[in-house]
Amino acid sequence: MSMSSKEVEDIARELLTAYETGHMVSVPPSERPGFDLDTAYQVEAALKKFREAAGHREVGQKVGYANKAMWRILKLETLVWAHMYDDTVHYSDHNSATLSVAHVRSLKIEPEIVFGLREPANVEGAPDAAAALTRTEWLAIGFEIIDCPFPEWKFQPSDFVASFGLHAALVIGEKIPVRPDSIPALVDELSRFKVRMSRNGAFVEEGSGRNALKNPASCLAELSTAIARRFPNHPLNAGEIVSSGTLTAGHASGTGDEWTVDVEGISLPSLSLRLA
């Protein structure tokens, strides 16, 4: 049994209200009859219309479930995604930023590689990291801040898609240009580089590019292919930003925390973020 367009819109408005107020959603959409991943993308499209009608501009996509082991467990065929907007994506000043997030419930922070596209990512055939980078203008390290409207952080992939991908904010560090002659080296470096996360000066966790589909550029390629398959008339476009999946576990955070991610094995500077 599929959901009606009115039911889709009602869920979108419920999740938008939760997003704008910090209220919880006691019953995730996935627990409601007729709600599946296809319906979740319908809700996500409705949320995009609502946000654009309120004057916000879509600026890119964030990735979820960039881990094939999770695909098998959750019966996913590919990763999932949701839009990001001009009021949630921020750029650091000399690789340092201070951020205040409104309507907080229980924030977590994740380091991710962020890509900026130079041209539309119309991908044909199997996902290819090098091919994806040829369409990329720049890359950077970033902090993705996520928040969950569902109790105890319990949700399904369809809930993730329908709730803005849990996206609260993205802070982007210094952009490194992607030049054609640098792509072979970047493909190799992105598969091997490491990150070290510290909170308030204390080491928290080490992560790696391999944690995002074994290479964040492979994540970008997989996303391009998945979007083209599901929405052939709306591929990733020139100028869009892609946050390509976490490199470590998500770590709980709150006001006053200062996070630093140090990068080794690829020419990206450290990035620091203080939550105000």
Side-chain angles (χ1 to χ4, degrees):
M1 180 181 68
S2 61
M3 285 190 165
S4 67
S5 57
K6 182 181 184 306
E7 289 173 312
V8 167
E9 182 171 317
D10 286 346
I11 290 176
R13 291 193 183 280
E14 178 186 2
L15 291 169
L16 179 63
T17 297
Y19 176 82
E20 293 177 337
T21 63
H23 291 167
M24 300 295 289
V25 177
S26 57
V27 180
S30 61
E31 296 182 11
R32 307 177 196 186
F35 191 88
D36 57 14
L37 193 56
D38 290 338
T39 310
Y41 281 110
Q42 294 175 36
V43 170
E44 209 273 339
L47 288 171
K48 181 173 180 286
K49 290 181 181 178
F50 294 156
R51 293 232 74 208
E52 290 175 338
H56 301 292
R57 181 172 57 88
E58 178 262 319
V59 297
Q61 309 279 353
K62 66 153 295 181
V63 163
Y65 297 97
N67 181 323
K68 287 190 176 181
M70 293 300 295
W71 297 1
R72 291 188 289 272
I73 293 168
L74 296 168
K75 296 181 172 58
L76 288 171
E77 296 179 356
T78 185
L79 42 71
V80 295
W81 63 91
H83 287 96
M84 302 184 294
Y85 298 88
D86 57 358
D87 61 334
T88 62
V89 174
H90 312 273
Y91 293 89
S92 65
D93 181 11
H94 296 92
N95 295 299
S96 180
T98 299
L99 178 69
S100 178
V101 180
H103 314 302
V104 167
R105 287 167 293 237
S106 57
L107 297 182
K108 292 185 180 182
I109 187 168
E110 303 172 337
E112 307 200 358
I113 292 294
V114 184
F115 297 99
L117 296 183
R118 114 170 0 102
E119 60 186 76
N122 283 313
V123 176
E124 297 181 1
D128 180 84
L133 287 174
T134 65
R135 298 170 171 86
T136 301
E137 182 176 1
W138 55 265
L139 61 85
I141 193 73
F143 281 123
E144 169 77 9
I145 312 298
I146 56 175
D147 199 1
C148 184
F150 311 116
E152 300 179 2
W153 281 83
K154 293 181 178 178
F155 56 88
Q156 295 297 313
S158 57
D159 301 315
F160 173 97
V161 170
S163 57
F164 295 97
L166 311 185
H167 174 74
L170 174 68
V171 176
I172 301 173
E174 180 182 341
K175 300 175 183 177
I176 304 302
V178 176
R179 303 183 312 274
D181 61 348
S182 70
I183 288 175
L186 276 177
V187 171
D188 180 55
E189 291 168 354
L190 284 167
S191 70
R192 295 186 296 105
F193 81 99
K194 295 180 180 180
V195 295
R196 288 175 58 87
M197 284 279 281
S198 300
R199 177 174 52 203
N200 304 326
F203 171 74
V204 174
E205 185 185 358
E206 183 176 273
S208 168
R210 294 189 62 79
N211 292 337
L213 281 190
K214 298 187 177 181
N215 186 320
S218 295
C219 262
L220 175 61
E222 182 73 27
L223 175 67
S224 302
T225 301
I227 288 179
R229 186 184 305 124
R230 183 175 282 274
F231 302 113
N233 296 324
H234 301 283
L236 284 172
N237 265 319
E240 285 203 75
I241 295 164
V242 172
S243 190
S244 63
T246 187
L247 306 170
T248 68
H251 293 281
S253 189
T255 301
D257 282 345
E258 182 162 351
W259 290 88
T260 299
V261 56
D262 296 307
V263 186
E264 176 188 334
I266 191 170
S267 296
L268 289 171
S270 301
L271 175 63
S272 295
L273 171 64
R274 186 175 69 86
L275 292 176

